């Protein structure tokens, strides 16, 4: 019975830790949203900023490849 209690306590600790992390994640998401809103109030476009953040996360090689393919597609559709 002692082992079950120890296992139950361990599970409870994991669940509580996940709950705390979820709260922190929500707080960070709120901070990010507030930052985009602040940038918007200063004249920046949050949609474009999100794209830039996404691009900056990508490895340079992948980004250049994506941009090259995008250029080919735009050219094929006469967008340029």
């Amino acid at each position: 019975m002692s082992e079950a209690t120890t296992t139950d306590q361990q599970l409870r600790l994991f669940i509580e830790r996940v709950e705390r992390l979820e709260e922190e994640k929500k707080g960070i998401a709120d901070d990010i949203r507030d930052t985009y809103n602040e940038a918007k109030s200063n004249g920046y476009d949050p949609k474009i900023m999100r794209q830039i953040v996404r691009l900056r996360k990508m490895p340079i090689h992948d980004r250049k490849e994506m941009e090259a393919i995008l250029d080919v597609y735009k050219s094929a559709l006469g967008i340029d």
Side-chain angles (χ1 to χ4, degrees), residues 5-22:
T5 304
T6 303
T7 304
D8 293 347
Q9 182 62 21
Q10 186 179 36
L11 175 60
R12 184 182 338 282
L13 291 173
F14 282 128
I15 296 299
E16 290 171 355
R17 194 162 90 194
V18 168
E19 289 171 340
R20 281 192 306 275
L21 290 169
E22 288 290 339

Side-chain angles (χ1 to χ4, degrees), residues 38-76:
E38 183 180 351
K40 183 177 182 177
S41 70
N42 282 298
Y44 296 101
D45 187 331
K47 290 179 186 177
I48 301 302
M49 290 176 60
R50 289 179 192 277
Q51 288 180 354
I52 295 296
V53 169
R54 184 177 54 87
L55 288 172
R56 287 172 53 112
K57 287 181 187 178
M58 293 175 72
I60 292 172
H61 178 308
D62 292 347
R63 185 173 62 232
K64 288 188 181 291
E65 181 180 358
M66 182 193 73
E67 289 171 348
I69 293 170
L70 181 61
D71 286 342
V72 168
Y73 285 16
K74 285 172 30 180
S75 178

